[in-house]
Amino acid sequence: MGEFSVGQPVTRFEDPRLLRGQGRYLDDVDLPRQTWMAVVRSPHAHAAILSIATAAALASPGVLAVLTGEDYTADGLGSLPSMAAYKQRGGAPMYVPFRPAVAVGRVRVVGQPVAVVVARTQEQARDAAELVDVDYEELPAVVSAYNAAQPGAPVLHDDCPGNESYYYEAGDKAAVERAFATATHVVEQRLVINRITANTMEPRGAIGEWDDGTGRYTLHTGFQRPWLFRSAIAETTLKIPETKLRLVTGDIGGSFGLRGSVYPEMILVLWAARRVGRPVKWIATRSESHISDDDARDNTVDAGLALDDAGNFLAVRIRSWANLGAYVSFRGALPPVVNIGSVAGTYTTKAIHVAISGMLTNTHCTSPYRGAGRPEAAYMIERLADLAARKLGRDAADLRRQNTVPASAMPYRTPLTYTWDSGHFDDNLEKALALADWKGFPARREASAGRGLLRGIGVTNTIEQAADATVETAELRFDAGGDATLVTGSVHHGQGHYTVQSQILYDRLGIDPARLSFIQGDTDKVAFGMGTGGSRSSAMSGGALVMVAGKIVEKGKRIAAHLLEAAEADIAFEGGRFMVAGTDRGLGMHEVARAAFNPAKLPNGMEPGLYETATYKAEAGNFPNGCHVCEVEIDPETGVARLASYVVVDDVGTVLNPLLLEGQIHGALAQGIGQVLMEDKAYDAETGQVLAGSFMDYAMPRAFDLCDITVVSNPAPTPTNPLGVKGAGESGTVGALPAVTNAIVDALSKYCVTHIDTPATSERIWQAIRAARPN
C-alpha cells in the first residue's frame, strides 16, 4: 500500500529520540522527596549469618533506615514469587525454597542481600553500607549442577537433601532403549553448556513509592511481563490485593530475558519506601550487576544418537542436569524444560527420551535469556549430528539432508512435544549450502593451510517454538482530531515494536505513523497483557492488532456509509479508505475518525467515538526455523579462532520488516557467537566465588569478533496466527551456538579432536591442540 506497509524496510521510528538523548530510562526518573538505597551483599557463597551490627550505619550522616532479615520477617513479607511448573520424583510439586528479599539466617550465593541502607543521597547510602558489620560462619559450597546431584554434595536447603528441585521426563523411554540396543551406530557425548549473563547496556534499577492515603505501592522498574509481575508480587510477597500495586516502566536499555525476573531489589525498594515514608531509589553499579543479576544456560548433558546402517536417525537420548542457582527465580524453572522439544530438530528421528534434573547450587539464579532453552536443545541434536557424520565418514550436510523432514510432511508431529506446522527445511539447507559455497570449502581450507591456519565449516538445521498459546491485548483509541493512540500489552526494550506496530496499523487501517502515539508499560493505563518474551510480540500483539483493526473498520463502514449517503453493503475498505463500490467517492480513516466524535454526523442511535479493544488468544505457538553455515579460521600456535563467513537462511513466516528482521538476527547471532567464543560466567568450584566479576574477566563480543553475515529469508507463513508470522528474536542464538562450535571442531579435526565445550576460548583451543599433537 505504501512506504510504511508490512514488508517494507522501514527504519525505526524510535531511534531519533533515543539517539538525541531524549529517552527516559529509569535513572532519568527522580521523584519528589526521593531517597536512595544501598544493598549490603554477602561475600560468601554459603554461610550462616551469626550477627549483623547496624548501629554505626544508623548513626551515619543522612541515614534514614537500616533493614535486615529480622525486620523483613517481623513485617510479615513473603517469598519472592516463582512459577513452579514441574514435579519432583514421585509426583509431588517441585521444591521451591523460600526466598526472602533479604537473607534470613543464611546466605546461599555471593551477592545475596544481607541488609539495606536507606539515606538521603546515593553516596550517603553507599558509605553507610560499608559500616554494616556482618559476622558469618562459612559453609561448604557447590557450583556445578552435576556435582550438586552427587552423593555427599553440600546441601543448600535442609528440606531438600538432594538439591534436586524437580525431575522432568518426557518421550518414549522404552522405544529409545530398544533403538539404542539394536542400532548399528551409536554416538554419545557429554556436553557442558556454559553459564552466561545478559549484561544489558542499562543496569537494573528500581524506584519504590508508597502512598499512605490510598494504601498503594508503585514500582518503577524495567520489566517484560508487568501483569504477571504485579499479580505474583502482590499475592506472594507483599500479600496485598493486586489492585494495590502499580507497575510502571519507561525506556529500557536491553533485556534479553534479564528483566523477565522478579528481583529482591524490587521488593526492597517498595518495603523501604513504606518504612521511611518516602520514595526509595536503587540503581545497580556494573560491578553489582555481576553479583546480583540472574544468569542463564549452564547445563551438563549426556546426549546420545542411535543410527541404522544407512545413517537414518533412530533415536535420541538426553540426560540433563540444569543449574537453577541458589533459589528458583520467577521463571527460572522453565528454560531447561519448556523448549526441550527443539531437540527433535528438523529431523525424522523415530523416538526421543529426555530426563532433566533442575538442580540447586551456590550460584546466582538462572532465568530465561535470549533463546531460553532453545539454543541448548539445538546444540544437543546438532552436535550429535556432527559426531555421527564424523563416525560414519559422511558429509555433515549430506547426513542432515537424508534425515530432514520434507515440506510435504507438514504438519509433522515429532516424537517429543511439538508438531511442526510449516516450513521448507530441505530448501533452507540447499539454499544455505549454495550461498556458503559448501562444495568449494576444500579449496578454501587448503588456502588457509597455506597461511598456516586451520579452517573449519559447520552447518546446523535448527527449529524452535516462538510465542505460546496465551493471550495479548490491544486498544486503539482515536481522538476528536482524528489522531490515534495504541495501548498495547507488549513491552518494548529495543526490538522496534512501535515501528512494526505502526506498519501493521498502516497496512490494516491506513493510519499515518506520524499521527499514531503509543502507551505501554503501565498497569494503570493498559487493561491487560502478557508482555514481551519468547519471541511472542509479532504474533501475539500482531494478532490483537488485526482484531482491533477489524472492529474499527466495521464501525467505520457504518459511519462512512452515512456520510457518503450509500448503503453500508456498498462500502469497501481498502488502502486506508472507505470507498463506495464502483465510484471514486470515499473517505480516509482519519476523516472518518474525526466524524465519529461529531454526533451530528453519525447515524441515529450510534454511540459517538472510535475506540476499540481486542484480546487475541492463540491456539498454538509457531516454529521459526532455518539453516546456518559458519566458517572459522584458527591459528594453531595461539588457539585464536576467527569467523571467516556466516550464512543464515531463515524462515520467520511473513516478514513484517526485513530491515528490523536482519537486525534481530545479527544481534542474536552476536550473542550466540559470544557464548561459543568468549562469554563465561565462571565461579570458583571450591568457594563459589564469582571469577567473572567485571568486563576484565567476562569477555563480550565486539564488531571485530564477527564477520560479514549473509541473511536470506525463506518464509513459509504459519497458519497459527492472522499475520502468518513466526518469532524472529531468538533464532540467531539458536543456530549460532551449534554452528560455530561445529565449525571449530571441524577445524580441529586434523588433530582428531571430536568435541570442545563452550566457551571455545583461545586457551581452550590451544590446550586441545597441544593435548592432541603427541598422538
Side-chain angles (χ1 to χ4, degrees), residues 32-210:
R33 301 180 65 246
Q34 175 182 286
T35 62
W36 284 84
M37 182 180 81
V39 182
V40 180
R41 300 186 182 276
S42 169
H44 302 292
H46 199 190
I49 299 173
L50 302 180
S51 65
I52 304 177
T54 62
L58 275 168
S60 188
V63 171
L64 301 174
V66 180
L67 304 174
T68 67
E70 190 174 299
D71 302 308
Y72 190 90
T73 302
D75 284 359
L77 295 170
S79 177
L80 268 67
S82 176
M83 299 176 70
Y86 307 116
K87 304 288 186 182
Q88 297 183 59
R89 297 172 193 261
M94 65 177 279
Y95 174 79
V96 179
F98 182 82
R99 185 187 182 191
V102 60
V104 177
R106 193 162 156 190
V107 293
R108 293 176 174 86
V109 62
V110 169
Q112 184 170 353
V114 175
V116 295
V117 176
V118 181
R120 289 183 173 84
T121 69
Q122 187 178 38
E123 293 75 15
Q124 288 173 334
R126 289 176 176 172
D127 288 345
E130 297 286 339
L131 301 177
V132 176
D133 187 14
V134 185
D135 189 17
Y136 298 95
E137 179 184 347
E138 199 167 354
L139 300 171
V142 60
V143 301
S144 158
Y146 179 78
N147 291 344
Q150 304 310 304
V155 174
L156 272 77
H157 303 275
D158 295 339
D159 51 348
C160 186
N163 295 321
E164 187 178 69
S165 172
Y166 66 78
Y167 179 76
Y168 174 87
E169 204 168 2
D172 190 336
K173 185 176 183 179
V176 168
E177 292 306 322
R178 286 195 300 271
F180 270 81
T182 59
T184 306
H185 306 285
V186 170
V187 291
E188 295 179 306
Q189 180 66 50
R190 171 158 290 187
L191 307 170
V192 179
I193 303 170
N194 66 304
R195 177 181 286 239
I196 53 177
T197 193
N199 288 322
T200 55
M201 285 194 293
E202 180 193 18
R204 288 188 304 109
I207 304 173
E209 291 184 85
W210 165 253

Side-chain angles (χ1 to χ4, degrees), residues 208-247:
E209 291 184 85
W210 165 253
D211 187 325
D212 205 36
T214 62
R216 290 191 84 203
Y217 292 98
T218 298
L219 175 63
H220 302 261
T221 192
F223 50 68
Q224 293 179 217
R225 298 180 181 269
W227 289 268
L228 286 177
F229 274 28
R230 185 177 71 167
S231 60
I233 292 171
E235 178 181 346
T236 305
T237 313
L238 299 179
K239 301 179 181 179
I240 58 173
E242 186 177 345
T243 53
K244 293 296 184 181
L245 176 62
R246 177 190 182 192
L247 269 64

Side-chain angles (χ1 to χ4, degrees), residues 386-430:
D386 253 34
L387 287 162
R390 180 73 55 83
K391 183 170 184 175
L392 273 61
R394 293 280 300 276
D395 176 81
D398 187 54
L399 185 63
R400 286 173 168 83
R401 180 184 291 116
Q402 174 182 330
N403 287 280
T404 293
V405 176
S408 60
M410 298 298 169
Y412 182 82
R413 184 176 179 82
T414 74
L416 188 71
T417 309
Y418 294 146
T419 297
W420 309 141
D421 59 61
S422 59
H424 305 298
F425 307 153
D426 42 6
D427 196 36
N428 292 342
L429 176 63
E430 301 308 329

